[in-house]
Amino acid sequence: MAFGVKLVKVKPQDQYTIDSLYEKIKDVDFGEAGVPQVGKSSPLYKENNVIYFPKIDRNNQVWIIYNVKKNEITVQRSTIIVGAVVKNMVKDDLLDTLTGGLAGIHSVLGGPEKQCEKQVDLVAEVLKGLGL
């Protein structure tokens, strides 16, 4: 884990784009991690660039990122929630101001983070088992 973000690398046999990887895994059972979706991690991107799972809370979500140059899949815990970047930033700033910075302690250090880390491991193991 680096800087509070858990990363697990998976080396596929074939080359993919994020969209073609999504097509391969969209119907796979990922258990408690839920059903994967494909989208943009930021409104600044024109193309899909991440596969993501349902958020656990406002600070925890499992992402799958594909690095074309390295032909490497990264499964990670993200503290950025796809589709909620600006909305969550405003809420987080307001809550931090009102609580003196204590609002995010549970999500960052508590149960949701551990649950997300377990889901990262689960998703990585399922991907490894697919023989991509």
Side-chain angles (χ1 to χ4, degrees), residues 67-118:
N67 184 324
V68 176
K69 291 180 182 177
K70 293 183 178 180
N71 189 33
E72 184 176 75
I73 297 168
T74 301
V75 182
Q76 72 175 53
R77 172 187 165 257
S78 177
T79 58
I80 299 170
I81 306 303
V82 172
V85 175
V86 175
K87 182 173 70 172
N88 280 358
M89 284 174 26
V90 171
K91 282 183 186 177
D92 289 349
D93 286 346
L94 179 60
L95 284 171
D96 280 348
T97 300
L98 293 174
T99 65
L102 297 175
I105 295 290
H106 175 69
S107 290
V108 174
L109 300 175
E113 179 184 9
K114 298 297 180 199
Q115 181 183 357
C116 194
E117 290 172 359
K118 284 175 55 178

Side-chain angles (χ1 to χ4, degrees), residues 26-97:
K26 68 181 181 181
D27 297 321
V28 171
D29 182 4
F30 286 95
E32 73 175 74
V35 177
Q37 298 178 36
V38 65
K40 301 169 189 166
S41 62
S42 166
L44 302 175
Y45 291 105
K46 293 180 183 175
E47 299 176 9
N48 294 325
N49 66 336
V50 65
I51 296 169
Y52 62 97
F53 291 84
K55 68 180 183 175
I56 294 170
D57 68 359
R58 66 188 182 96
N59 292 315
N60 291 284
Q61 187 173 46
V62 176
W63 283 11
I64 297 173
I65 299 172
Y66 180 69
N67 184 324
V68 176
K69 291 180 182 177
K70 293 183 178 180
N71 189 33
E72 184 176 75
I73 297 168
T74 301
V75 182
Q76 72 175 53
R77 172 187 165 257
S78 177
T79 58
I80 299 170
I81 306 303
V82 172
V85 175
V86 175
K87 182 173 70 172
N88 280 358
M89 284 174 26
V90 171
K91 282 183 186 177
D92 289 349
D93 286 346
L94 179 60
L95 284 171
D96 280 348
T97 300

